[in-house]
Amino acid sequence: MADYRTTDDRVVVKRGGAGRTIAIVLAVAAIIAAILFATGFWSADVKEGALPDVDISAKGGALPDVDVDSKEVVVGTKKTEVEVPVVGVQDNGEK
């Protein structure tokens, strides 16, 4: 049996992509902003502004008047004779 050996000492380093780096930076920025708001260093005092006044009114609806004329469907049965062909099977002797 053959013995296969490699003399190549390789080290594989898996690096995170740009998406991982951006996510870490955004998470750190969010944590810093939360700390600044919690300590009172930053504050957000809204002095003016209000939600818009919305007045909604609706009247009760009614279904439209529809006159539908359909065709008359007649369902029934009648006796009919159908000629059925006779099918025969022959044995030709092959196996």
Side-chain angles (χ1 to χ4, degrees):
M1 223 179 193
D3 187 19
Y4 295 99
R5 295 181 187 204
T6 60
T7 59
D8 192 15
D9 294 330
R10 293 185 191 177
V11 177
V12 177
V13 178
K14 185 176 180 182
R15 296 183 180 160
R20 184 175 179 189
T21 304
I22 291 171
I24 291 172
V25 169
L26 290 176
V28 169
I31 291 170
I32 292 172
I35 290 171
L36 291 175
F37 275 111
T39 58
F41 189 74
W42 281 356
S43 63
D45 293 330
V46 178
K47 296 180 176 124
E48 292 183 25
L51 293 175
D53 293 329
V54 179
D55 197 18
I56 298 175
S57 63
K59 295 180 182 177
L63 293 175
D65 292 331
V66 179
D67 185 21
V68 178
D69 296 326
S70 65
K71 299 291 181 182
E72 183 180 340
V73 178
V74 179
V75 180
T77 61
K78 69 177 188 176
K79 280 194 162 193
T80 305
E81 282 193 32
V82 178
E83 187 177 326
V84 179
V86 178
V87 178
V89 180
Q90 289 183 345
D91 185 16
N92 61 3
E94 289 184 22
K95 288 188 179 186

